[in-house]
Amino acid sequence: MASCLAARHLLSRASAARRVLPCASPLYSSPSILRRLSTHASPPPPPPLPPPPLEPTVDPATSEGASSYAGAGEGAGAGESYRSGQGASSEGRRPAGAGYEEEQEKVLRASLLHVPRMGWSESAMIAGARDVGVSPAIVGAFQRKEAALVEFFMDDCLQQLMDRVDAGEREQLKNLILTERLSRLIRMRLEMQTPYISKWPQALSIQSQPADVSTSLKQRAVLVDEIWHAAGDSGSDIDWYVKRAVLGGIYSTSEVYMLTDNFPEFRDTWTFVNRRIKEALDLQKSVKEVGYLAEAMGAGLGVGPIQGILNRFSRNEENA
């Protein structure tokens, strides 16, 4: 118990001495001790923070960020212009395609000059391409090379015939009777084949091929229809089909007959055309007879319709 009290007394004296010594003892008054005591006593205040940097006041048009943003905008604009350019290119491909078709037409037209010597052949088309300054590789773009050349010739001749009729031939045709008008129009069309008459059997052979016969028939049907229109026919009844069938047969037989005509300027062919038209186009009789037959077939071949057709036919025979 006494030892505890003595220890407390010593501790109290030591603490009192510590409170007095820093002020009285020269040891604790040295700068180094004071700095050490000050570091233990209280931490120094933190240094003041530097002022925030001022925002740069630069021109947005010249700043890097603005330029990158502008670049992004330009990229977006470029994307828009590219998308719009795709649409424009799709529209612009039509003129390019049209220009390519024009080149093909030039090649085909120039190839016709070589047909009398080379025939309706790929060689004539290659020579025509070289004449117009086009690569001969364009001939490979024609799926049916020889047939394409013949079909082009048929379409071109039809266009020339229509142009001649519209240019003043129609007025001259009005002064002729129907048979003379038809003969004149057929002659005008067949005369366009005279420069190629030595190679025309080859053209007929090409047109008769299974892959080409449908186009050939369509072209001839359009030709016959235009001849009838130019001759002044505007009917739309059953006679329409009969007239075109009859004239189509006359044209085809005259076309073949022309290949065997050795007279100058195909004089015998034109005589043949006139004779066939006069014989076959007695429309007041033959066409009406075919019309009566079609009427009977449409009526189902009943007794009443047949009797009426026979009566009408007998009256026409008496009038004839």
Side-chain angles (χ1 to χ4, degrees):
M1 186 69 179
S3 61
C4 290
L5 291 174
R8 289 180 180 175
H9 181 69
L10 290 175
L11 289 173
S12 61
R13 290 181 62 185
S15 62
R18 280 199 301 271
R19 285 194 296 270
V20 174
L21 283 175
C23 297
S25 176
L27 179 62
Y28 289 97
S29 60
S30 62
S32 61
I33 297 299
L34 289 176
R35 282 195 300 270
R36 189 180 301 173
L37 289 176
S38 63
T39 57
H40 288 286
S42 61
L49 295 174
L54 296 177
E55 295 183 359
T57 58
V58 293
D59 189 3
T62 59
S63 64
E64 181 180 357
S67 63
S68 62
Y69 176 78
E74 290 175 359
E80 291 295 330
S81 63
Y82 174 75
R83 285 190 293 270
S84 62
Q86 282 183 324
S89 62
S90 63
E91 295 294 333
R93 277 194 293 269
R94 293 178 182 175
Y100 188 73
E101 292 179 357
E102 291 178 358
E103 285 189 350
Q104 288 183 326
E105 181 179 351
K106 291 180 181 179
V107 171
L108 292 174
R109 192 173 300 279
S111 302
L112 295 177
L113 301 176
H114 301 275
V115 169
R117 183 171 57 91
M118 300 180 178
W120 306 89
S121 61
E122 184 176 353
S123 301
M125 299 175 69
I126 293 175
R130 289 172 177 167
D131 290 346
V132 296
V134 179
S135 172
I138 195 174
V139 178
F142 297 95
Q143 296 181 356
R144 298 175 295 115
K145 299 177 178 61
E146 296 84 358
L149 185 57
V150 176
E151 292 168 5
F152 172 79
F153 174 75
M154 294 288 292
D155 290 338
D156 187 60
C157 289
L158 176 61
Q159 187 62 46
Q160 292 182 38
L161 178 64
M162 295 169 59
D163 292 342
R164 288 183 59 180
V165 171
D166 295 337
E169 194 71 28
R170 193 186 304 273
E171 297 299 326
Q172 299 180 13
L173 292 173
K174 291 180 180 179
N175 301 324
L176 305 175
I177 61 176
L178 179 60
T179 55
E180 293 176 348
R181 277 179 272 170
L182 294 174
S183 299
R184 185 179 183 89
L185 290 167
I186 290 178
R187 177 172 177 173
M188 288 169 56
R189 171 58 185 83
L190 290 177
E191 283 178 343
M192 299 178 186
Q193 297 177 187
T194 54
Y196 315 97
I197 195 65
S198 62
K199 303 297 181 181
W200 195 246
Q202 181 188 5
L204 294 177
S205 176
I206 293 172
Q207 289 178 319
S208 63
Q209 296 298 318
D212 310 320
V213 66
S214 60
T215 304
S216 174
L217 292 176
K218 290 178 182 177
Q219 289 180 320
R220 293 173 184 274
V222 173
L223 171 62
V224 171
D225 184 57
E226 290 296 337
I227 290 176
W228 269 112
H229 280 296
D233 178 72
S234 58
S236 59
D237 52 3
I238 189 64
D239 295 349
W240 189 94
Y241 301 97
V242 177
K243 292 175 182 178
R244 280 147 183 80
V246 171
L247 189 62
I250 294 174
Y251 178 84
S252 297
T253 54
S254 302
E255 186 178 26
V256 175
Y257 187 88
M258 188 177 182
L259 299 176
T260 62
D261 188 1
N262 296 321
F263 283 89
E265 298 181 356
F266 302 96
R267 183 181 58 196
D268 201 13
T269 300
W270 315 137
T271 304
F272 175 84
V273 171
N274 296 335
R275 186 170 60 249
R276 291 282 81 82
I277 290 179
K278 289 179 180 179
E279 291 176 354
L281 293 187
D282 186 6
L283 299 180
Q284 298 298 324
K285 182 177 179 180
S286 60
V287 173
K288 286 186 178 180
E289 290 176 359
V290 176
Y292 297 155
L293 178 60
E295 183 180 348
M297 296 175 62
L301 296 178
V303 177
I306 289 180
Q307 187 63 38
I309 292 168
L310 292 176
N311 293 336
R312 293 169 61 183
F313 181 75
S314 62
R315 286 196 300 269
N316 289 331
E317 288 292 329
E318 294 175 358
N319 295 333

